[in-house]
Amino acid sequence: MFDVLVYLYENYWRPDACPDHDQLTRKLSAVGFESDDIEEALSWLDGLAGMAESCTQPQAATSMRVYTAAERELLGDASIGFISFLEGAGVLPPLMREMVVDRATAIGRVPLELEDLKIIVLMVFWSLGEEPDALILDELFVDDEERIIH
């Protein structure tokens, strides 16, 4: 499923640039994605689109997030730490954080891999028509092993 999401991010500037589900399913099948992965990704994106539509409310400047035991188990320490890093850097406001947590919960894999969480964060930005700044994109795309330390 995550490969489908990355493909959509790389090939469509915004969600509204994507064709309808039927045409998109055909395109994704033609590229070589499995039908189960396509269905799972499109269903997941429908949930994300629903949340993005409801993001018209003004956002609180600050909030504190207390994760439930189930969320901590699902996300794991690395993912929660990464979310906290993004919040601390000022690039993930509370409403977007909640979108990330909701969409991570919708995956249902325990624990969620950090690389998968990064794709979820990227898709939340994408769904809202926002692009993270270059340093955050670097955090989302570059593996720790490939990072050059100065």
Side-chain angles (χ1 to χ4, degrees), residues 99-124:
M99 291 176 70
V100 168
V101 172
D102 177 78
R103 294 292 76 208
T105 305
I107 300 296
R109 293 185 196 140
V110 176
L112 186 68
E113 296 290 325
L114 180 57
E115 295 308 312
D116 293 341
L117 179 84
K118 289 179 178 183
I119 294 169
I120 292 170
V121 170
L122 191 64
M123 296 308 293
V124 167

mmCIF file of all heavy atoms in Angstrom, residues 99-124:
data_model
loop_
_atom_site.group_PDB
_atom_site.id
_atom_site.type_symbol
_atom_site.label_atom_id
_atom_site.label_comp_id
_atom_site.label_asym_id
_atom_site.label_seq_id
_atom_site.Cartn_x
_atom_site.Cartn_y
_atom_site.Cartn_z
ATOM 1 N N MET A 99 -4.257 14.143 12.445
ATOM 2 C CA MET A 99 -4.477 13.452 11.177
ATOM 3 C C MET A 99 -3.456 12.326 11.005
ATOM 4 O O MET A 99 -3.804 11.219 10.577
ATOM 5 C CB MET A 99 -4.390 14.432 10.004
ATOM 6 C CG MET A 99 -5.533 15.422 9.928
ATOM 7 S SD MET A 99 -5.327 16.629 8.604
ATOM 8 C CE MET A 99 -5.566 15.594 7.151
ATOM 9 N N VAL A 100 -2.210 12.600 11.343
ATOM 10 C CA VAL A 100 -1.154 11.590 11.236
ATOM 11 C C VAL A 100 -1.467 10.407 12.148
ATOM 12 O O VAL A 100 -1.407 9.247 11.729
ATOM 13 C CB VAL A 100 0.232 12.201 11.569
ATOM 14 C CG1 VAL A 100 1.283 11.114 11.739
ATOM 15 C CG2 VAL A 100 0.650 13.187 10.492
ATOM 16 N N VAL A 101 -1.827 10.690 13.393
ATOM 17 C CA VAL A 101 -2.124 9.618 14.345
ATOM 18 C C VAL A 101 -3.335 8.809 13.877
ATOM 19 O O VAL A 101 -3.324 7.575 13.912
ATOM 20 C CB VAL A 101 -2.334 10.184 15.770
ATOM 21 C CG1 VAL A 101 -2.842 9.099 16.716
ATOM 22 C CG2 VAL A 101 -1.039 10.792 16.289
ATOM 23 N N ASP A 102 -4.368 9.481 13.397
ATOM 24 C CA ASP A 102 -5.555 8.786 12.910
ATOM 25 C C ASP A 102 -5.228 7.872 11.737
ATOM 26 O O ASP A 102 -5.643 6.726 11.701
ATOM 27 C CB ASP A 102 -6.630 9.788 12.489
ATOM 28 C CG ASP A 102 -7.843 9.096 11.918
ATOM 29 O OD1 ASP A 102 -8.651 8.566 12.714
ATOM 30 O OD2 ASP A 102 -7.975 9.036 10.670
ATOM 31 N N ARG A 103 -4.489 8.385 10.775
ATOM 32 C CA ARG A 103 -4.165 7.587 9.587
ATOM 33 C C ARG A 103 -3.188 6.465 9.918
ATOM 34 O O ARG A 103 -3.243 5.397 9.332
ATOM 35 C CB ARG A 103 -3.601 8.468 8.469
ATOM 36 C CG ARG A 103 -4.601 9.467 7.914
ATOM 37 C CD ARG A 103 -5.767 8.846 7.128
ATOM 38 N NE ARG A 103 -6.781 8.240 7.955
ATOM 39 C CZ ARG A 103 -7.565 7.221 7.588
ATOM 40 N NH1 ARG A 103 -7.470 6.690 6.412
ATOM 41 N NH2 ARG A 103 -8.472 6.730 8.402
ATOM 42 N N ALA A 104 -2.300 6.674 10.894
ATOM 43 C CA ALA A 104 -1.412 5.598 11.339
ATOM 44 C C ALA A 104 -2.222 4.504 12.021
ATOM 45 O O ALA A 104 -1.994 3.311 11.810
ATOM 46 C CB ALA A 104 -0.345 6.147 12.279
ATOM 47 N N THR A 105 -3.200 4.921 12.803
ATOM 48 C CA THR A 105 -4.075 3.961 13.479
ATOM 49 C C THR A 105 -4.884 3.158 12.460
ATOM 50 O O THR A 105 -5.139 1.972 12.648
ATOM 51 C CB THR A 105 -5.014 4.698 14.452
ATOM 52 O OG1 THR A 105 -4.219 5.473 15.350
ATOM 53 C CG2 THR A 105 -5.869 3.733 15.241
ATOM 54 N N ALA A 106 -5.266 3.802 11.370
ATOM 55 C CA ALA A 106 -6.045 3.127 10.337
ATOM 56 C C ALA A 106 -5.256 2.013 9.652
ATOM 57 O O ALA A 106 -5.840 1.077 9.122
ATOM 58 C CB ALA A 106 -6.520 4.136 9.292
ATOM 59 N N ILE A 107 -3.928 2.095 9.688
ATOM 60 C CA ILE A 107 -3.085 1.046 9.090
ATOM 61 C C ILE A 107 -3.214 -0.229 9.903
ATOM 62 O O ILE A 107 -3.345 -1.313 9.357
ATOM 63 C CB ILE A 107 -1.606 1.501 9.010
ATOM 64 C CG1 ILE A 107 -1.464 2.749 8.166
ATOM 65 C CG2 ILE A 107 -0.720 0.380 8.498
ATOM 66 C CD1 ILE A 107 -1.831 2.600 6.724
ATOM 67 N N GLY A 108 -3.143 -0.109 11.221
ATOM 68 C CA GLY A 108 -3.367 -1.249 12.093
ATOM 69 C C GLY A 108 -2.195 -2.194 12.271
ATOM 70 O O GLY A 108 -2.343 -3.240 12.882
ATOM 71 N N ARG A 109 -1.026 -1.886 11.733
ATOM 72 C CA ARG A 109 0.146 -2.753 11.914
ATOM 73 C C ARG A 109 0.852 -2.359 13.203
ATOM 74 O O ARG A 109 1.067 -1.189 13.470
ATOM 75 C CB ARG A 109 1.124 -2.595 10.752
ATOM 76 C CG ARG A 109 0.567 -3.100 9.461
ATOM 77 C CD ARG A 109 1.618 -3.039 8.380
ATOM 78 N NE ARG A 109 0.946 -3.169 7.098
ATOM 79 C CZ ARG A 109 1.268 -2.482 6.030
ATOM 80 N NH1 ARG A 109 2.262 -1.625 6.071
ATOM 81 N NH2 ARG A 109 0.611 -2.651 4.910
ATOM 82 N N VAL A 110 1.217 -3.361 13.982
ATOM 83 C CA VAL A 110 1.865 -3.105 15.267
ATOM 84 C C VAL A 110 3.273 -3.660 15.226
ATOM 85 O O VAL A 110 3.448 -4.839 14.942
ATOM 86 C CB VAL A 110 1.076 -3.747 16.421
ATOM 87 C CG1 VAL A 110 1.784 -3.572 17.741
ATOM 88 C CG2 VAL A 110 -0.328 -3.202 16.475
ATOM 89 N N PRO A 111 4.293 -2.927 15.578
ATOM 90 C CA PRO A 111 4.316 -1.473 15.560
ATOM 91 C C PRO A 111 4.502 -0.970 14.130
ATOM 92 O O PRO A 111 5.034 -1.675 13.270
ATOM 93 C CB PRO A 111 5.537 -1.119 16.415
ATOM 94 C CG PRO A 111 6.479 -2.251 16.182
ATOM 95 C CD PRO A 111 5.594 -3.473 15.999
ATOM 96 N N LEU A 112 4.083 0.227 13.901
ATOM 97 C CA LEU A 112 4.223 0.853 12.597
ATOM 98 C C LEU A 112 5.688 1.209 12.376
ATOM 99 O O LEU A 112 6.334 1.761 13.263
ATOM 100 C CB LEU A 112 3.364 2.121 12.544
ATOM 101 C CG LEU A 112 3.275 2.848 11.220
ATOM 102 C CD1 LEU A 112 2.510 2.006 10.200
ATOM 103 C CD2 LEU A 112 2.580 4.181 11.402
ATOM 104 N N GLU A 113 6.221 0.863 11.222
ATOM 105 C CA GLU A 113 7.609 1.201 10.901
ATOM 106 C C GLU A 113 7.746 2.717 10.763
ATOM 107 O O GLU A 113 6.848 3.380 10.243
ATOM 108 C CB GLU A 113 8.031 0.533 9.594
ATOM 109 C CG GLU A 113 8.029 -0.979 9.642
ATOM 110 C CD GLU A 113 9.139 -1.529 10.518
ATOM 111 O OE1 GLU A 113 10.231 -0.931 10.550
ATOM 112 O OE2 GLU A 113 8.901 -2.550 11.172
ATOM 113 N N LEU A 114 8.876 3.253 11.183
ATOM 114 C CA LEU A 114 9.123 4.687 11.097
ATOM 115 C C LEU A 114 9.052 5.164 9.651
ATOM 116 O O LEU A 114 8.501 6.227 9.361
ATOM 117 C CB LEU A 114 10.475 5.049 11.720
ATOM 118 C CG LEU A 114 10.857 6.530 11.687
ATOM 119 C CD1 LEU A 114 9.799 7.383 12.387
ATOM 120 C CD2 LEU A 114 12.228 6.735 12.308
ATOM 121 N N GLU A 115 9.577 4.384 8.720
ATOM 122 C CA GLU A 115 9.539 4.775 7.307
ATOM 123 C C GLU A 115 8.093 4.882 6.813
ATOM 124 O O GLU A 115 7.778 5.755 6.011
ATOM 125 C CB GLU A 115 10.331 3.791 6.449
ATOM 126 C CG GLU A 115 11.818 3.789 6.757
ATOM 127 C CD GLU A 115 12.448 5.176 6.725
ATOM 128 O OE1 GLU A 115 12.214 5.929 5.758
ATOM 129 O OE2 GLU A 115 13.178 5.514 7.676
ATOM 130 N N ASP A 116 7.212 4.012 7.293
ATOM 131 C CA ASP A 116 5.802 4.081 6.916
ATOM 132 C C ASP A 116 5.153 5.322 7.523
ATOM 133 O O ASP A 116 4.340 5.988 6.876
ATOM 134 C CB ASP A 116 5.059 2.818 7.354
ATOM 135 C CG ASP A 116 5.530 1.581 6.596
ATOM 136 O OD1 ASP A 116 6.144 1.723 5.514
ATOM 137 O OD2 ASP A 116 5.280 0.466 7.082
ATOM 138 N N LEU A 117 5.516 5.652 8.765
ATOM 139 C CA LEU A 117 4.978 6.863 9.383
ATOM 140 C C LEU A 117 5.398 8.103 8.591
ATOM 141 O O LEU A 117 4.608 9.019 8.406
ATOM 142 C CB LEU A 117 5.438 6.997 10.832
ATOM 143 C CG LEU A 117 4.908 8.279 11.476
ATOM 144 C CD1 LEU A 117 3.494 8.068 11.995
ATOM 145 C CD2 LEU A 117 5.816 8.776 12.552
ATOM 146 N N LYS A 118 6.617 8.119 8.114
ATOM 147 C CA LYS A 118 7.094 9.263 7.336
ATOM 148 C C LYS A 118 6.260 9.435 6.066
ATOM 149 O O LYS A 118 5.960 10.561 5.662
ATOM 150 C CB LYS A 118 8.574 9.097 6.990
ATOM 151 C CG LYS A 118 9.483 9.267 8.193
ATOM 152 C CD LYS A 118 10.936 9.065 7.822
ATOM 153 C CE LYS A 118 11.851 9.278 9.004
ATOM 154 N NZ LYS A 118 13.279 9.154 8.629
ATOM 155 N N ILE A 119 5.859 8.333 5.451
ATOM 156 C CA ILE A 119 5.000 8.408 4.270
ATOM 157 C C ILE A 119 3.633 8.960 4.656
ATOM 158 O O ILE A 119 3.055 9.778 3.944
ATOM 159 C CB ILE A 119 4.884 7.032 3.579
ATOM 160 C CG1 ILE A 119 6.250 6.633 3.011
ATOM 161 C CG2 ILE A 119 3.820 7.051 2.485
ATOM 162 C CD1 ILE A 119 6.338 5.202 2.547
ATOM 163 N N ILE A 120 3.125 8.543 5.808
ATOM 164 C CA ILE A 120 1.842 9.063 6.288
ATOM 165 C C ILE A 120 1.935 10.575 6.497
ATOM 166 O O ILE A 120 1.042 11.319 6.081
ATOM 167 C CB ILE A 120 1.407 8.334 7.581
ATOM 168 C CG1 ILE A 120 1.067 6.877 7.265
ATOM 169 C CG2 ILE A 120 0.234 9.043 8.239
ATOM 170 C CD1 ILE A 120 0.857 6.002 8.482
ATOM 171 N N VAL A 121 3.005 11.038 7.115
ATOM 172 C CA VAL A 121 3.192 12.479 7.332
ATOM 173 C C VAL A 121 3.209 13.200 5.985
ATOM 174 O O VAL A 121 2.545 14.226 5.804
ATOM 175 C CB VAL A 121 4.497 12.758 8.121
ATOM 176 C CG1 VAL A 121 4.819 14.244 8.136
ATOM 177 C CG2 VAL A 121 4.391 12.216 9.542
ATOM 178 N N LEU A 122 3.943 12.654 5.043
ATOM 179 C CA LEU A 122 4.025 13.248 3.712
ATOM 180 C C LEU A 122 2.650 13.326 3.054
ATOM 181 O O LEU A 122 2.280 14.339 2.468
ATOM 182 C CB LEU A 122 4.978 12.425 2.853
ATOM 183 C CG LEU A 122 5.402 12.996 1.527
ATOM 184 C CD1 LEU A 122 6.195 14.270 1.727
ATOM 185 C CD2 LEU A 122 6.231 11.968 0.779
ATOM 186 N N MET A 123 1.862 12.270 3.190
ATOM 187 C CA MET A 123 0.528 12.240 2.591
ATOM 188 C C MET A 123 -0.424 13.211 3.279
ATOM 189 O O MET A 123 -1.324 13.753 2.628
ATOM 190 C CB MET A 123 -0.037 10.816 2.600
ATOM 191 C CG MET A 123 0.751 9.827 1.759
ATOM 192 S SD MET A 123 1.053 10.360 0.061
ATOM 193 C CE MET A 123 -0.599 10.333 -0.618
ATOM 194 N N VAL A 124 -0.242 13.465 4.566
ATOM 195 C CA VAL A 124 -1.071 14.458 5.259
ATOM 196 C C VAL A 124 -0.773 15.841 4.688
ATOM 197 O O VAL A 124 -1.695 16.601 4.374
ATOM 198 C CB VAL A 124 -0.856 14.402 6.786
ATOM 199 C CG1 VAL A 124 -1.452 15.626 7.466
ATOM 200 C CG2 VAL A 124 -1.467 13.124 7.360
#
